[in-house]
Amino acid sequence: MTDTDAFALPPWQTTREGELRRVGIELEMNGLELDEIARLTADFLGCEVKKTSRYERSLTGDPAGEWIVELDFTLLKKMGREQRVASDLGDEIKSGAEDVIKWFADGLVPHELVSPPLPMDRLGEVDRLIAHLREAGAKGTGDRVTNAFGMQFNPEVPACEARTITAYLKAFLCLFDWLNTRADINMTRRLTSYVDPFPGAYVKKLVQADYWPDMDGLIDDYLEANPTRNRALDMLPLFRHIDEQRVLAKVGDERIKSRPTFHYRLPDCLIDQPGWGVHVAWNDWLEVERLAADEERLEACCKAYEHYLEKSVGRLLHNWEDEVQQKWLSAEK
């Protein structure tokens, strides 16, 4: 499969400024040490490695920006940024505590590789990097039962407008059951709350034909039903970018990063499986992009899904995923 075949572009390819939309990639893995991941990635990209703390590395030299390699553990990252003096008793105690926490974290907490926002036409390069890391011994979710590792990506929105964002939300909710089945999430990740589904009442509100709120209403409705990062499509980074005060007044989580992107958190990271790459989830995500951009098909799909949700016993006899597969996916492949 060539890069062009694997990474078709969405209907809305550019921002309002006319720039090719970008996408950031986050990969969780183990099997390699922090410095091994940094070195292998830097060598592949032609970057230089900079040690920013005991558990963080930055890779410089990519025109898109810095790549980050880090231990995905907030407490240890904070501890790792503190300087220690061996002769200081207080620092010795802190170092001992840090070592104990690191010992417990080893094997359970993944290392994370985070790209800068990359133009969408560079996604094939990320797949080649994944193959490079796999050959070196990187392991993903399927390697052991405790590996609840994800692959997240952050597609830049084509426009920070209420109608555009609402169209994406409607499309995602209509296709979620199909996406979830396609993703085949690892059981360990299913037992966590990282990718909880949206509440049923919120889904029913969003797919109504007349639900096209202004931006304040869209954000308020989302925050009322979803005051958490733990959604398969986390909208909090985008909404913080648009209206920071409104979001922080409802959700005081310092991990919410302001950025003009969707935060798609559903897929597992299966980096150790031959042939796996970003293209697997990307090609499914494109169905959301295509449905959001097709106003007539989106309206019809929402109407059909709303009718399905209104059923009670009848839903046992009607498989919505099958209907999506047969009727509501795009003809583009």
Side-chain angles (χ1 to χ4, degrees):
M1 180 179 288
T2 67
D3 292 346
T4 302
D5 292 334
F7 292 100
L9 297 181
W12 290 329
Q13 296 179 14
T14 61
T15 65
R16 285 299 170 88
E17 292 72 35
E19 299 292 332
L20 184 64
R21 289 169 60 198
R22 299 171 298 171
V23 56
I25 308 294
E26 304 172 37
L27 294 164
E28 296 175 342
M29 68 191 81
N30 63 15
L32 297 171
E33 296 298 324
L34 184 74
D35 284 317
E36 288 182 290
I37 299 171
R39 176 182 54 79
L40 288 162
T41 303
D43 289 347
F44 180 86
L45 295 168
C47 292
E48 295 183 0
V49 179
K50 179 182 178 181
K51 182 177 180 179
T52 49
S53 81
R54 286 186 288 280
Y55 308 109
E56 298 166 287
R57 306 290 184 267
S58 64
L59 312 183
T60 60
D62 191 314
E66 286 190 345
W67 292 67
I68 302 297
V69 183
E70 61 185 14
L71 187 68
D72 193 18
F73 194 149
T74 301
L75 175 59
L76 271 178
K77 283 191 292 185
K78 286 182 177 179
M79 297 176 80
R81 294 168 192 154
E82 298 175 359
Q83 297 297 319
R84 304 279 194 236
V85 178
S87 59
D88 185 289
L89 178 59
D91 279 356
E92 287 182 5
I93 293 173
K94 291 178 182 178
S95 293
E98 181 179 328
D99 289 343
V100 170
I101 295 171
K102 178 64 167 61
W103 182 81
F104 277 109
D106 282 344
L108 295 175
V109 177
H111 293 116
E112 187 170 29
L113 173 63
V114 182
S115 81
L118 300 169
M120 288 183 174
D121 59 5
R122 285 188 61 185
L123 287 173
E125 186 178 353
V126 179
D127 260 10
R128 294 194 300 274
L129 172 59
I130 285 171
H132 183 62
L133 294 171
R134 175 167 53 244
E135 290 169 3
K139 302 296 183 183
T141 296
D143 183 58
R144 64 179 73 171
V145 70
T146 56
N147 284 10
F149 300 165
M151 191 274 297
Q152 305 170 25
F153 56 80
N154 306 287
E156 185 176 15
V157 295
C160 287
E161 298 175 351
R163 191 170 186 89
T164 299
I165 296 169
T166 301
Y168 272 95
L169 270 170
K170 284 174 177 279
F172 182 82
L173 294 174
C174 284
L175 300 184
F176 174 74
D177 289 350
W178 177 81
L179 289 166
N180 193 40
T181 296
R182 294 272 295 177
D184 191 21
I185 304 302
N186 175 273
M187 180 56 69
T188 304
R189 289 189 76 219
R190 289 180 186 274
L191 294 175
T192 70
S193 59
Y194 297 144
V195 290
D196 284 347
F198 286 91
Y202 181 72
V203 175
K204 290 180 180 179
K205 173 184 283 190
L206 261 289
V207 299
Q208 290 175 0
D210 61 352
Y211 186 80
W212 294 101
D214 61 15
M215 188 65 78
D216 289 350
L218 177 64
I219 295 176
D220 285 343
D221 287 345
Y222 184 90
L223 292 174
E224 182 64 29
N226 309 282
T228 174
R229 298 170 64 243
N230 297 335
R231 293 290 182 265
L233 186 64
D234 172 21
M235 300 294 291
L236 294 179
L238 174 57
F239 288 150
R240 181 172 181 177
H241 171 79
I242 294 169
D243 192 337
E244 183 170 68
Q245 291 185 344
R246 190 178 295 271
V247 171
L248 294 184
K250 190 73 175 183
V251 187
D253 190 328
E254 64 181 19
R255 295 172 296 174
I256 301 171
K257 299 177 181 178
S258 172
R259 53 196 176 199
T261 71
F262 303 106
H263 185 37
Y264 186 44
R265 310 175 76 231
L266 184 62
D268 288 341
C269 179
L270 304 175
I271 194 169
D272 51 314
Q273 294 189 7
W276 181 87
V278 179
H279 67 274
V280 176
W282 177 255
N283 288 338
D284 289 344
W285 169 258
L286 281 180
E287 293 296 341
V288 177
E289 294 271 354
R290 292 165 181 156
L291 184 57
D294 188 336
E295 187 172 344
E296 183 176 346
R297 187 161 62 93
L298 177 61
E299 181 180 355
C301 185
C302 284
K303 184 176 181 179
Y305 192 38
E306 184 179 12
H307 180 66
Y308 168 79
L309 293 174
E310 289 172 351
K311 295 180 180 180
S312 53
V313 176
R315 289 170 63 177
L316 300 176
L317 306 175
H318 181 180
N319 189 309
W320 177 250
E321 297 165 42
D322 288 345
E323 179 170 337
V324 167
Q325 181 69 46
Q326 296 165 11
K327 189 172 181 180
W328 297 116
L329 301 183
S330 68
E332 299 179 53
K333 297 295 179 188

